[in-house]
Amino acid sequence: MRFPVYMIFILLMLLGNSLAIYKMFTAKQDFFDQFPKLTETAFSIFRLLPVINIIALSGMLLMKPWAAYLVIACAIAVISFDIYFGIYYHLYVAVPSTLILLFFIIKYWNEFK
């Protein structure tokens, strides 16, 4: 492992997104009850974001440049969804993790192949 803190953070992000997938596919009605502004179509898109993010994070483990762009796009999409639909409690996780990912991308950009 060349960058242990980076790898540990990415693995934690993979775990968090896996738990998000589980929650979003098993507790759909809870989301609609908690966030009435959420529509069926928006939820379908929102549910796919952790799946795409897992693909991007896997690419980050392999230090692929496309993964860095995909992670940033997913982070912007998640933060936008959270703000628009009023899922403010998730911003406490999404914003700091996005900033940490940006830090790692900038710090290790020359290592991406």
Side-chain angles (χ1 to χ4, degrees):
M1 244 190 257
R2 295 188 337 219
F3 314 111
V5 174
Y6 169 80
M7 297 296 180
I8 291 169
F9 183 74
I10 297 295
L11 291 173
L12 287 172
M13 292 287 294
L14 284 167
L15 177 65
N17 279 280
S18 298
L19 292 173
I21 288 173
Y22 173 77
K23 179 73 172 173
M24 294 183 96
F25 279 90
T26 59
K28 179 180 179 180
Q29 192 57 43
D30 291 346
F31 281 94
F32 288 116
D33 293 341
Q34 199 171 8
F35 308 106
K37 199 174 177 185
L38 197 59
T39 64
E40 186 74 37
T41 305
F43 185 75
S44 297
I45 295 168
F46 197 51
R47 187 185 334 200
L48 291 176
L49 286 175
V51 175
I52 296 169
N53 210 13
I54 285 177
I55 294 167
L57 290 167
S58 300
M60 292 286 289
L61 278 175
L62 301 173
M63 304 299 279
K64 300 294 182 186
W66 59 264
Y69 296 116
L70 190 56
V71 162
I72 293 168
C74 282
I76 291 169
V78 167
I79 291 170
S80 299
F81 265 82
D82 287 349
I83 292 170
Y84 184 77
F85 292 109
I87 310 172
Y88 299 117
Y89 72 89
H90 187 252
L91 290 173
Y92 292 111
V93 174
V95 172
S97 62
T98 299
L99 294 174
I100 293 169
L101 278 171
L102 283 172
F103 169 76
F104 283 131
I105 289 169
I106 292 167
K107 183 174 181 175
Y108 298 125
W109 182 251
N110 291 333
E111 301 295 324
F112 286 86
K113 301 177 184 93

